[in-house]
Amino acid sequence: MSIKEDIERKFVRLSKGQRKVAQFVMNNPTVIIGNGAAEVGRQANVSESTVIRFCYAMDLSGYVELQDKVRSYLMTQNDGASLQTTYSSSKKDIPSFGKVMQRDIQNIQDTIHLINHNMLQKSSKWIHEAENVYILGTRQAASIANWLSFTMKTLRPNVKQLRSESDDIVQQINSMSEHTTLIVFSWEKHSNEIQTIVEIAKKKKAKIIAITGSVLSSIREYASAFFTLGLKKQSSLDVIPVLFSFLHALIEEMVSQDKAQYEKYQQSYEQVENNLLFLDAAREKQVF
């Protein structure tokens, strides 16, 4: 089914703003191909987020897929030859890795409009004010939890990654309180251990920041803040750049709460780390 047929079929279910985007797509296909969502929104007299939401309403993964669908449709029409002449040269100039990076950029831009800014600010404040920050991620999310834990340890004290195999996991969970912030990652069906930890954290009045790939995640009912970063039809590889960009933004928001404090702690951390490296080097010299 072409994008034209798909729009006609779903038009009645679209919101008023999305219908304006749909009409603009039908009337200005080459503008869609040659411009980003922000410019299309400006020309269609709607917000960029409305353009993105139109894409999701059409069951597309984002604006990039809309461009691909429109391009494919035009290639089957009478003006397909001229379209190919116009755009084939520019596509050839971009190496395959560049196309992947462009897709990452577009995925990040698409996600920006799905994030609640106020909730992001609240989350960063909870992390900033917490006496203890715990980070939980299992399976494919464990490496992300590990990265965030290491990064935040360079900025503030009392940051710990929860590991089910750890000997002190029970002690860590029991130490949670209203002064604790728990960050939870999950992109797969939740295991019983994640469910149990989140339930206990909720009972202990900890702030729970849930970052998942589905709005239907069962963790949602326990979360103080809930962020969905997985977009429709995106592979796990497509989500990773979006996730790290989001975490970078979250950390920057946290640092903005008291920039001088975080810079001072980071300098202190780096000094201790350099001293430890110096001691290790000295011991190696003694051995040899």
Coordinates of all heavy atoms in Angstrom, one line a residue, residues 19-94:
R19 N -4.3 16.1 10.4 CA -4.9 16.2 9.0 C -4.3 17.3 8.2 O -4.1 17.1 7.0 CB -6.4 16.5 9.2 CG -7.2 15.3 9.7 CD -8.7 15.6 9.8 NE -9.4 14.5 10.3 CZ -10.8 14.4 10.5 NH1 -11.5 15.5 10.1 NH2 -11.4 13.4 11.0
K20 N -3.9 18.4 8.8 CA -3.2 19.4 8.1 C -1.8 18.9 7.6 O -1.4 19.2 6.4 CB -2.9 20.6 9.0 CG -4.2 21.4 9.4 CD -3.9 22.5 10.3 CE -3.2 23.6 9.7 NZ -3.1 24.8 10.5
V21 N -1.2 18.1 8.4 CA 0.1 17.5 8.0 C -0.1 16.5 6.8 O 0.6 16.5 5.8 CB 0.8 16.7 9.1 CG1 2.1 16.1 8.6 CG2 1.1 17.7 10.3
A22 N -1.2 15.7 6.9 CA -1.5 14.7 5.9 C -1.8 15.4 4.6 O -1.3 15.0 3.5 CB -2.7 13.9 6.3
Q23 N -2.6 16.5 4.6 CA -2.8 17.3 3.4 C -1.6 17.9 2.8 O -1.4 17.9 1.6 CB -3.9 18.4 3.7 CG -4.5 19.0 2.5 CD -5.4 17.9 1.8 OE1 -6.3 17.3 2.3 NE2 -5.1 17.7 0.5
F24 N -0.7 18.4 3.7 CA 0.6 19.0 3.2 C 1.4 17.9 2.6 O 2.1 18.2 1.5 CB 1.3 19.6 4.4 CG 2.5 20.4 4.0 CD1 2.4 21.7 3.7 CD2 3.8 19.8 3.9 CE1 3.5 22.4 3.3 CE2 4.9 20.5 3.6 CZ 4.8 21.8 3.2
V25 N 1.5 16.7 3.1 CA 2.2 15.6 2.5 C 1.7 15.3 1.1 O 2.5 15.1 0.2 CB 2.2 14.4 3.4 CG1 2.8 13.2 2.7 CG2 2.8 14.6 4.8
M26 N 0.4 15.3 1.0 CA -0.2 14.9 -0.3 C 0.1 16.0 -1.4 O 0.4 15.7 -2.5 CB -1.7 14.8 -0.2 CG -2.1 13.7 0.8 SD -1.7 12.0 0.2 CE -3.0 11.9 -1.1
N27 N 0.1 17.3 -0.9 CA 0.3 18.4 -1.8 C 1.7 18.8 -2.1 O 2.0 19.4 -3.1 CB -0.5 19.6 -1.3 CG -2.0 19.4 -1.3 OD1 -2.5 18.5 -1.9 ND2 -2.7 20.2 -0.4
N28 N 2.6 18.4 -1.2 CA 4.0 18.9 -1.3 C 5.0 17.7 -1.0 O 5.8 17.8 -0.1 CB 4.3 20.0 -0.3 CG 3.3 21.2 -0.5 OD1 3.5 22.1 -1.3 ND2 2.2 21.2 0.4
P29 N 4.9 16.7 -1.7 CA 5.8 15.5 -1.4 C 7.3 15.8 -1.5 O 8.0 15.3 -0.7 CB 5.3 14.5 -2.5 CG 4.7 15.3 -3.6 CD 4.0 16.4 -2.9
T30 N 7.7 16.6 -2.5 CA 9.1 16.9 -2.6 C 9.6 17.7 -1.4 O 10.8 17.7 -1.1 CB 9.4 17.6 -3.9 OG1 8.6 18.8 -4.0 CG2 9.1 16.7 -5.1
V31 N 8.7 18.5 -0.8 CA 9.1 19.3 0.4 C 9.4 18.4 1.5 O 10.3 18.6 2.3 CB 8.0 20.3 0.8 CG1 8.4 21.0 2.1 CG2 7.8 21.3 -0.4
I32 N 8.6 17.3 1.6 CA 8.8 16.3 2.7 C 10.2 15.7 2.5 O 10.9 15.5 3.5 CB 7.7 15.2 2.6 CG1 6.3 15.8 2.8 CG2 8.0 14.1 3.7 CD1 6.1 16.5 4.1
I33 N 10.5 15.3 1.3 CA 11.8 14.6 1.1 C 13.0 15.5 1.3 O 14.0 15.0 1.9 CB 11.8 14.1 -0.4 CG1 10.7 13.1 -0.6 CG2 13.2 13.4 -0.7 CD1 10.6 12.6 -2.1
G34 N 12.9 16.7 1.0 CA 14.0 17.6 1.0 C 14.2 18.4 2.3 O 15.2 19.2 2.4
N35 N 13.3 18.3 3.3 CA 13.4 19.1 4.5 C 13.1 18.2 5.7 O 12.5 17.2 5.7 CB 12.3 20.2 4.4 CG 12.6 21.2 3.3 OD1 13.4 22.2 3.5 ND2 12.0 21.1 2.2
G36 N 13.5 18.8 6.9 CA 13.3 18.1 8.2 C 11.9 18.4 8.7 O 11.1 19.2 8.1
A37 N 11.5 17.7 9.8 CA 10.2 17.8 10.3 C 9.9 19.2 10.8 O 8.7 19.7 10.7 CB 10.1 16.8 11.5
A38 N 10.9 19.9 11.3 CA 10.7 21.3 11.8 C 10.2 22.2 10.7 O 9.3 23.0 10.8 CB 11.9 21.8 12.5
E39 N 10.9 22.1 9.5 CA 10.6 23.0 8.4 C 9.2 22.6 7.8 O 8.4 23.5 7.4 CB 11.6 22.9 7.3 CG 11.4 23.6 6.0 CD 11.2 25.1 6.2 OE1 11.7 25.7 7.3 OE2 10.6 25.8 5.4
V40 N 8.9 21.4 7.8 CA 7.6 20.9 7.3 C 6.5 21.5 8.2 O 5.5 21.9 7.8 CB 7.5 19.4 7.2 CG1 6.1 18.9 7.0 CG2 8.4 18.9 6.1
G41 N 6.7 21.4 9.5 CA 5.8 21.9 10.5 C 5.6 23.4 10.3 O 4.4 23.9 10.3
R42 N 6.7 24.1 10.0 CA 6.5 25.6 9.8 C 5.7 25.9 8.6 O 4.8 26.7 8.6 CB 7.9 26.2 9.6 CG 8.0 27.7 9.6 CD 9.3 28.2 9.3 NE 9.7 27.9 7.9 CZ 9.3 28.6 6.8 NH1 8.4 29.6 7.0 NH2 9.6 28.3 5.6
Q43 N 6.0 25.2 7.5 CA 5.3 25.4 6.2 C 3.8 25.0 6.3 O 2.9 25.6 5.7 CB 6.0 24.7 5.1 CG 7.3 25.3 4.7 CD 7.8 24.8 3.4 OE1 7.1 24.6 2.5 NE2 9.2 24.7 3.3
A44 N 3.5 23.9 7.1 CA 2.2 23.4 7.2 C 1.4 24.1 8.3 O 0.2 23.9 8.6 CB 2.2 21.9 7.5
N45 N 2.1 25.1 9.0 CA 1.5 25.8 10.1 C 1.1 25.0 11.3 O 0.0 25.2 11.8 CB 0.3 26.7 9.6 CG 0.0 27.8 10.5 OD1 0.8 28.3 11.2 ND2 -1.3 28.2 10.5
V46 N 1.9 24.0 11.6 CA 1.7 23.2 12.8 C 3.0 23.0 13.5 O 4.1 23.4 13.0 CB 1.2 21.8 12.4 CG1 -0.2 21.9 11.8 CG2 2.2 21.0 11.6
S47 N 3.0 22.5 14.7 CA 4.3 22.3 15.4 C 5.1 21.1 14.9 O 4.5 20.2 14.2 CB 4.0 22.1 16.9 OG 3.3 20.8 17.1
E48 N 6.3 21.1 15.2 CA 7.2 20.0 14.7 C 6.7 18.7 15.4 O 6.7 17.6 14.8 CB 8.6 20.2 15.1 CG 9.6 19.1 14.6 CD 11.0 19.4 15.0 OE1 11.3 20.5 15.6 OE2 11.9 18.5 14.7
S49 N 6.3 18.8 16.7 CA 5.8 17.6 17.4 C 4.5 17.0 16.7 O 4.3 15.8 16.7 CB 5.5 17.9 18.8 OG 4.5 18.9 18.9
T50 N 3.7 17.9 16.1 CA 2.5 17.4 15.4 C 2.9 16.6 14.2 O 2.3 15.6 13.8 CB 1.6 18.6 15.0 OG1 1.2 19.2 16.1 CG2 0.4 18.1 14.2
V51 N 4.0 17.0 13.5 CA 4.5 16.3 12.3 C 5.0 14.9 12.8 O 4.7 13.9 12.1 CB 5.6 17.0 11.7 CG1 6.2 16.2 10.5 CG2 5.2 18.4 11.2
I52 N 5.7 14.8 13.9 CA 6.2 13.6 14.4 C 5.0 12.7 14.8 O 5.0 11.5 14.5 CB 7.1 13.8 15.6 CG1 8.3 14.7 15.2 CG2 7.6 12.5 16.1 CD1 9.1 14.2 14.0
R53 N 4.0 13.2 15.5 CA 2.9 12.4 15.9 C 2.1 11.9 14.7 O 1.4 10.9 14.8 CB 2.0 13.2 16.9 CG 2.8 13.5 18.2 CD 1.9 14.2 19.3 NE 2.7 14.6 20.4 CZ 3.1 13.8 21.4 NH1 2.8 12.5 21.3 NH2 3.8 14.2 22.4
F54 N 2.0 12.7 13.7 CA 1.4 12.2 12.4 C 2.1 11.0 11.9 O 1.4 10.0 11.5 CB 1.5 13.3 11.4 CG 1.2 12.8 10.0 CD1 -0.1 12.6 9.6 CD2 2.2 12.6 9.1 CE1 -0.4 12.1 8.3 CE2 2.0 12.1 7.8 CZ 0.7 11.9 7.4
C55 N 3.4 11.0 12.0 CA 4.2 9.8 11.6 C 3.8 8.6 12.4 O 3.5 7.5 11.8 CB 5.7 10.0 11.7 SG 6.3 11.3 10.6
Y56 N 3.6 8.7 13.7 CA 3.3 7.6 14.6 C 1.8 7.2 14.3 O 1.5 6.0 14.4 CB 3.5 8.0 16.0 CG 4.9 8.3 16.4 CD1 5.2 9.2 17.3 CD2 6.0 7.7 15.7 CE1 6.6 9.5 17.6 CE2 7.3 8.0 16.0 CZ 7.6 8.9 16.9 OH 8.9 9.2 17.2
A57 N 1.0 8.2 14.0 CA -0.4 7.8 13.7 C -0.5 7.0 12.5 O -1.5 6.2 12.3 CB -1.2 9.1 13.6
M58 N 0.5 7.2 11.6 CA 0.5 6.4 10.3 C 1.3 5.1 10.5 O 1.6 4.4 9.5 CB 1.2 7.3 9.2 CG 0.4 8.5 8.9 SD -1.3 8.2 8.3 CE -0.9 7.3 6.8
D59 N 1.6 4.8 11.8 CA 2.3 3.5 12.1 C 3.7 3.5 11.5 O 4.2 2.4 11.1 CB 1.5 2.3 11.6 CG 0.2 2.1 12.4 OD1 0.3 2.4 13.7 OD2 -0.8 1.7 11.9
L60 N 4.3 4.7 11.4 CA 5.7 4.8 10.9 C 6.6 4.9 12.1 O 6.2 5.4 13.2 CB 5.8 6.0 10.0 CG 4.9 6.0 8.8 CD1 5.1 7.3 8.0 CD2 5.2 4.8 7.9
S61 N 7.9 4.6 12.0 CA 8.8 4.7 13.1 C 9.3 6.1 13.4 O 9.7 6.4 14.4 CB 10.1 3.8 12.8 OG 10.8 4.3 11.6
G62 N 9.0 7.0 12.4 CA 9.4 8.4 12.6 C 9.4 9.1 11.3 O 9.0 8.6 10.2
Y63 N 10.0 10.3 11.3 CA 10.0 11.2 10.1 C 10.8 10.6 9.0 O 10.5 10.7 7.8 CB 10.5 12.6 10.5 CG 10.3 13.6 9.3 CD1 9.0 14.1 9.0 CD2 11.4 14.0 8.6 CE1 8.9 15.0 7.9 CE2 11.3 14.9 7.6 CZ 10.0 15.4 7.2 OH 9.9 16.2 6.2
V64 N 11.9 9.9 9.3 CA 12.8 9.4 8.3 C 12.0 8.3 7.4 O 12.1 8.3 6.2 CB 14.0 8.7 8.9 CG1 14.8 7.9 7.8 CG2 14.9 9.8 9.5
E65 N 11.2 7.5 8.1 CA 10.4 6.5 7.4 C 9.4 7.2 6.5 O 9.1 6.7 5.4 CB 9.8 5.5 8.3 CG 9.1 4.3 7.6 CD 8.6 3.2 8.4 OE1 8.7 3.4 9.7 OE2 8.1 2.3 7.9
L66 N 8.8 8.3 7.0 CA 7.8 9.0 6.2 C 8.5 9.5 4.9 O 7.9 9.4 3.8 CB 7.3 10.2 6.9 CG 6.4 11.2 6.1 CD1 5.1 10.4 5.7 CD2 6.0 12.4 6.9
Q67 N 9.7 10.1 5.0 CA 10.4 10.5 3.8 C 10.7 9.3 2.9 O 10.5 9.5 1.6 CB 11.8 11.1 4.2 CG 11.7 12.5 4.9 CD 13.0 13.0 5.4 OE1 13.8 12.3 6.0 NE2 13.3 14.2 5.0
D68 N 11.1 8.2 3.4 CA 11.3 7.0 2.6 C 10.0 6.6 1.8 O 10.0 6.2 0.6 CB 11.8 5.8 3.4 CG 13.2 6.1 3.9 OD1 13.9 6.9 3.3 OD2 13.7 5.4 4.8
K69 N 8.9 6.6 2.6 CA 7.6 6.2 2.0 C 7.2 7.2 0.8 O 6.7 6.7 -0.2 CB 6.5 6.2 3.0 CG 6.7 5.1 4.1 CD 6.3 3.7 3.5 CE 6.3 2.7 4.6 NZ 5.9 1.4 4.1
V70 N 7.4 8.5 1.1 CA 7.0 9.5 0.1 C 7.9 9.3 -1.1 O 7.5 9.4 -2.3 CB 7.1 10.9 0.7 CG1 6.9 11.9 -0.4 CG2 6.1 11.1 1.7
R71 N 9.2 9.1 -0.9 CA 10.2 8.9 -2.0 C 9.8 7.7 -2.8 O 9.8 7.8 -4.1 CB 11.6 8.8 -1.4 CG 12.7 8.7 -2.5 CD 14.0 8.6 -1.9 NE 14.4 9.8 -1.2 CZ 14.6 9.8 0.1 NH1 14.3 8.8 0.9 NH2 14.9 11.0 0.7
S72 N 9.5 6.6 -2.2 CA 9.1 5.4 -2.9 C 7.8 5.6 -3.7 O 7.7 5.1 -4.9 CB 8.9 4.2 -1.9 OG 10.1 3.9 -1.2
Y73 N 6.9 6.3 -3.1 CA 5.6 6.6 -3.9 C 5.9 7.4 -5.1 O 5.4 7.1 -6.2 CB 4.7 7.3 -2.9 CG 3.5 7.9 -3.7 CD1 2.5 7.0 -4.1 CD2 3.3 9.2 -3.9 CE1 1.4 7.5 -4.8 CE2 2.2 9.7 -4.5 CZ 1.2 8.8 -5.0 OH 0.1 9.3 -5.7
L74 N 6.7 8.5 -5.0 CA 7.0 9.4 -6.1 C 7.7 8.7 -7.2 O 7.6 9.0 -8.4 CB 7.7 10.6 -5.7 CG 6.9 11.7 -4.9 CD1 7.7 12.9 -4.6 CD2 5.6 12.0 -5.7
M75 N 8.6 7.7 -6.8 CA 9.3 6.9 -7.8 C 8.4 6.1 -8.7 O 8.8 5.7 -9.8 CB 10.4 6.1 -7.1 CG 11.4 6.8 -6.4 SD 12.5 7.8 -7.4 CE 13.5 6.5 -8.2
T76 N 7.2 5.8 -8.2 CA 6.3 5.0 -9.0 C 5.4 5.9 -9.9 O 4.7 5.4 -10.7 CB 5.4 4.2 -8.1 OG1 4.6 5.0 -7.3 CG2 6.2 3.3 -7.2
Q77 N 5.5 7.2 -9.7 CA 4.6 8.1 -10.5 C 5.4 8.6 -11.7 O 6.6 8.3 -11.9 CB 4.2 9.3 -9.6 CG 3.6 8.9 -8.3 CD 2.4 8.0 -8.5 OE1 1.4 8.4 -9.2 NE2 2.4 6.8 -8.0
N78 N 4.7 9.4 -12.5 CA 5.3 9.9 -13.8 C 6.5 10.7 -13.6 O 7.4 10.8 -14.4 CB 4.3 10.7 -14.5 CG 3.1 9.9 -15.0 OD1 3.3 8.7 -15.2 ND2 1.9 10.5 -15.2
D79 N 6.6 11.4 -12.4 CA 7.7 12.3 -12.2 C 8.9 11.6 -11.4 O 9.8 12.2 -10.9 CB 7.3 13.6 -11.4 CG 6.6 13.2 -10.1 OD1 6.3 12.0 -9.9 OD2 6.4 14.1 -9.3
G80 N 8.8 10.3 -11.4 CA 9.8 9.5 -10.7 C 11.2 9.7 -11.2 O 12.2 9.7 -10.5
A81 N 11.3 9.8 -12.6 CA 12.6 10.0 -13.2 C 13.3 11.2 -12.8 O 14.4 11.3 -12.4 CB 12.4 9.9 -14.7
S82 N 12.5 12.4 -12.8 CA 13.1 13.6 -12.4 C 13.4 13.6 -10.9 O 14.4 14.2 -10.5 CB 12.1 14.8 -12.7 OG 10.9 14.6 -12.0
L83 N 12.6 13.0 -10.1 CA 12.9 12.9 -8.7 C 14.2 12.2 -8.5 O 15.0 12.5 -7.7 CB 11.7 12.2 -8.0 CG 11.9 12.0 -6.5 CD1 11.7 13.4 -5.8 CD2 10.9 11.0 -5.9
Q84 N 14.4 11.1 -9.2 CA 15.6 10.3 -9.0 C 16.8 11.1 -9.4 O 17.9 11.0 -8.8 CB 15.5 9.0 -9.9 CG 16.7 8.1 -9.7 CD 16.5 6.8 -10.4 OE1 15.6 6.6 -11.2 NE2 17.4 5.8 -10.2
T85 N 16.7 11.9 -10.5 CA 17.8 12.8 -10.9 C 18.2 13.8 -9.8 O 19.3 14.1 -9.6 CB 17.5 13.5 -12.2 OG1 17.2 12.5 -13.2 CG2 18.6 14.4 -12.6
T86 N 17.1 14.3 -9.2 CA 17.3 15.4 -8.2 C 18.0 14.8 -6.9 O 18.9 15.5 -6.4 CB 16.0 16.0 -7.8 OG1 15.3 16.5 -9.0 CG2 16.2 17.1 -6.8
Y87 N 17.6 13.6 -6.5 CA 18.0 13.1 -5.2 C 19.1 12.0 -5.2 O 19.7 11.8 -4.2 CB 16.8 12.7 -4.4 CG 15.9 13.8 -4.0 CD1 14.8 14.1 -4.7 CD2 16.3 14.6 -2.9 CE1 14.0 15.1 -4.3 CE2 15.5 15.7 -2.5 CZ 14.3 15.9 -3.3 OH 13.5 17.0 -2.9
S88 N 19.3 11.4 -6.3 CA 20.2 10.3 -6.3 C 21.6 10.7 -6.1 O 22.4 10.0 -5.4 CB 20.1 9.5 -7.7 OG 20.4 10.4 -8.8
S89 N 22.0 11.9 -6.7 CA 23.4 12.3 -6.5 C 23.7 12.6 -5.1 O 24.8 12.3 -4.6 CB 23.6 13.6 -7.4 OG 22.7 14.6 -7.0
S90 N 22.7 13.3 -4.4 CA 23.0 13.6 -3.0 C 23.1 12.4 -2.1 O 23.8 12.3 -1.2 CB 21.9 14.6 -2.5 OG 20.6 13.9 -2.5
K91 N 22.3 11.4 -2.4 CA 22.3 10.1 -1.7 C 23.6 9.4 -1.9 O 24.2 8.8 -1.0 CB 21.1 9.2 -2.0 CG 19.8 9.8 -1.6 CD 18.7 8.8 -1.9 CE 18.7 7.6 -1.1 NZ 17.6 6.6 -1.4
K92 N 24.1 9.4 -3.1 CA 25.4 8.8 -3.4 C 26.6 9.4 -2.7 O 27.6 8.7 -2.4 CB 25.6 8.8 -4.9 CG 24.7 7.8 -5.7 CD 25.0 7.9 -7.2 CE 24.1 7.0 -8.0 NZ 24.3 7.1 -9.5
D93 N 26.5 10.7 -2.4 CA 27.5 11.4 -1.8 C 27.7 11.0 -0.3 O 28.7 11.3 0.3 CB 27.3 12.9 -1.9 CG 27.5 13.4 -3.3 OD1 28.1 12.7 -4.1 OD2 27.0 14.5 -3.6
I94 N 26.6 10.4 0.3 CA 26.6 10.0 1.7 C 27.0 8.6 1.8 O 26.4 7.7 1.3 CB 25.3 10.3 2.3 CG1 24.8 11.7 2.1 CG2 25.3 9.9 3.8 CD1 23.4 12.0 2.6

